[in-house]
Amino acid sequence: MIEIYPLEKCIYYQIKMCQHNQIPSLVPFDFSYEDNDVKIYWKLKGFEALHKKEKHTHLSKKKMEKLLLHLKKALIDCMDYMLEPCQLKLEWEAIYVDEKDDYRFIYLPVRKEEEMDIAVILKGFFSQLQPYINQNDEGVMIKMHQLRLGLEAENFNLETYINDVMTTSMGSLE
């Protein structure tokens, strides 16, 4: 997968941070300069798009829980490596599965047109996830409700959300 961005939109230290560290929750990438553009190449060899791998109507409870745990890990990795969690591409089509059956996410080291709030991005992600959840599994539905409810906090803080809401609602899964 290749995407091209104007040089002035790219965040150089984030590109280098991702390039020089093996961040386990992210799909690795490389880049090149062409004129005033940066071409980013995500290295997808050995990865399979989740939406192509899972052709079933619903993810199993185990796979759903694993996806949520890997999302939590990606958010923590972003903070640990001085990356912006809101620059994770949290879209169903942008989630990949590696050889070990672990989920990986695309990171965009690029300034967005407008500042995005991670709570809004996570709400959008959970909304996209809704069709893949088994609506008849009360345990999964309760966890999803807790995750969504935690995003509504008046003074939302991602670190608190991860440590309190995500850990509480998914704690028994780890």
Side-chain angles (χ1 to χ4, degrees), residues 1 21 36 44 46 63 74 77 86 93 147 151 154-155 167 170:
M1 180 170 90
N21 294 286
N36 284 328
L44 297 177
K63 287 182 180 181
D77 283 349
C86 63
E93 293 79 22
L147 291 169
L151 296 170
E154 189 173 315
N155 296 322
T167 301
M170 300 182 321

Side-chain angles (χ1 to χ4, degrees), residues 58 133-141:
H58 298 105
I133 296 173
N134 182 353
Q135 308 289 324
N136 297 325
D137 187 325
E138 187 177 340
V140 171
M141 294 306 292

Side-chain angles (χ1 to χ4, degrees), residues 145-159:
H145 178 70
Q146 291 171 331
L147 291 169
R148 283 195 184 108
L149 201 58
L151 296 170
E152 302 295 329
E154 189 173 315
N155 296 322
F156 180 82
N157 174 283
L158 182 59
E159 207 165 329

Side-chain angles (χ1 to χ4, degrees), residues 50 55 75 123 125 133 138 147 154:
L50 179 60
K55 301 203 186 309
L75 293 167
K123 283 179 197 175
F125 177 72
I133 296 173
E138 187 177 340
L147 291 169
E154 189 173 315

Side-chain angles (χ1 to χ4, degrees), residues 59-85:
L59 287 174
S60 69
K61 181 177 181 177
K62 184 177 179 180
K63 287 182 180 181
M64 175 62 70
E65 292 170 341
K66 186 175 181 180
L67 175 61
L68 293 172
L69 286 172
H70 281 96
L71 170 62
K72 178 181 172 182
K73 176 70 174 125
L75 293 167
I76 291 169
D77 283 349
C78 283
M79 291 187 300
D80 288 348
Y81 288 95
M82 298 183 307
L83 303 173
E84 295 293 327

Side-chain angles (χ1 to χ4, degrees), residues 30-66:
D30 205 351
F31 72 100
S32 66
Y33 296 107
E34 286 186 20
D35 300 322
N36 284 328
D37 293 329
V38 174
K39 201 181 264 192
I40 299 178
Y41 308 84
W42 280 273
K43 300 173 183 178
L44 297 177
K45 186 175 183 178
F47 293 90
E48 188 174 0
L50 179 60
H51 73 279
K52 291 182 180 176
K53 182 176 177 148
E54 295 297 332
K55 301 203 186 309
H56 309 296
T57 307
H58 298 105
L59 287 174
S60 69
K61 181 177 181 177
K62 184 177 179 180
K63 287 182 180 181
M64 175 62 70
E65 292 170 341
K66 186 175 181 180

